[in-house]
Amino acid sequence: AQYDGDFQDTDWVDALAGVKFRAPLGSRVSILGRADVAGFGSNVTWNLEGDLAFLASQHWSLGAGWRYMDVDYDSGEGIERRQLDLAYSGPRVWFAYSW
């Protein structure tokens, strides 16, 4: 599908609440998880993440996992209406440095 209309910006601010956890599977491997939900600016936005993390050295970690995020936003009426219904789902690979 192609959209031939004008580009329009939409901004909002949401209140966010969530939980995050880390479950060690040994001295170097952990399962990480996060879940959160937001609203008031959007109708509802929610996110789920799960990763397997490996401590490669004292400062470096690497991991892989999955993320699902869903955004539902609807504001205004008529020609001023802004609507966004978006879902993202997929794998991810990451690395992190900490000191």
Side-chain angles (χ1 to χ4, degrees):
Q2 183 178 358
Y3 177 70
D4 293 326
D6 294 330
F7 179 81
Q8 297 173 351
D9 285 334
T10 299
D11 298 316
W12 70 88
V13 175
D14 275 338
L16 174 73
V19 294
K20 195 172 159 178
F21 75 89
R22 178 181 178 269
L25 298 177
S27 62
R28 301 184 85 120
V29 179
S30 297
I31 293 177
L32 309 176
R34 177 180 156 177
D36 53 61
V37 64
F40 298 112
S42 65
N43 295 358
V44 67
T45 297
W46 60 278
N47 176 67
L48 293 174
E49 301 174 22
D51 294 303
L52 184 63
F54 174 71
L55 182 62
S57 71
Q58 182 179 358
H59 298 287
W60 288 97
S61 299
L62 57 105
W66 196 269
R67 180 179 188 186
Y68 182 88
M69 183 175 71
D70 190 279
V71 178
D72 182 14
Y73 175 84
D74 191 350
S75 179
E77 294 187 21
I79 197 166
E80 296 298 319
R81 184 174 186 194
R82 302 290 181 262
Q83 187 176 19
L84 176 66
D85 189 4
L86 172 78
Y88 164 85
S89 178
R92 63 185 185 171
V93 177
W94 55 266
F95 64 93
Y97 180 83
S98 59
W99 60 92

